Amino acid sequence: MTDTAKLPDVATLTFEQALGELEQLVQRLERGDVPLEESIAAYERGEALKGRCAGLLAIAEARVEKIRVAADGAVAGVEPLDPDRG
């Protein structure tokens, strides 16, 4: 993983892809067999992946909060979430 230019743009990754890559980075860094410069690049990528995961989780949480459940347990209504809005 010395050439980060070959890696996909973090903004295009799904939650599962970002989390999987983040887990792999953590494992590599924990082993301690990564040269310093590569460790720094991996850490930077890891921070970006962490941010992507957090953002996607926030969107999912907002979607869940938009679902309204009636007293009888039936879904009373769902408001669509526009992920492009902050």
Side-chain angles (χ1 to χ4, degrees), residues 35-49:
L36 179 60
E37 287 301 316
E38 192 174 334
S39 292
I40 293 169
Y43 184 84
E44 290 172 341
R45 175 102 176 149
E47 283 295 315
L49 291 165

Side-chain angles (χ1 to χ4, degrees), residues 55-68:
L56 291 172
L57 282 174
I59 290 170
E61 183 178 74
R63 289 180 68 190
V64 168
E65 289 176 2
K66 295 284 182 180
I67 299 172
R68 305 287 184 236

Side-chain angles (χ1 to χ4, degrees), residues 1-83:
M1 167 142 59
T2 56
D3 188 3
T4 57
K6 294 180 183 177
L7 296 172
D9 182 10
V10 171
T12 65
L13 298 177
T14 65
F15 176 81
E16 293 78 9
Q17 291 169 327
L19 184 60
E21 186 180 335
L22 182 57
E23 289 172 343
Q24 289 176 354
L25 279 175
V26 169
Q27 289 173 359
R28 289 185 68 226
L29 290 172
E30 285 178 342
R31 281 195 310 261
D33 60 355
V34 182
L36 179 60
E37 287 301 316
E38 192 174 334
S39 292
I40 293 169
Y43 184 84
E44 290 172 341
R45 175 102 176 149
E47 283 295 315
L49 291 165
K50 178 183 150 206
R52 175 68 175 162
C53 288
L56 291 172
L57 282 174
I59 290 170
E61 183 178 74
R63 289 180 68 190
V64 168
E65 289 176 2
K66 295 284 182 180
I67 299 172
R68 305 287 184 236
V69 179
D72 64 359
V75 175
V78 177
E79 297 176 33
L81 176 71
D82 181 0

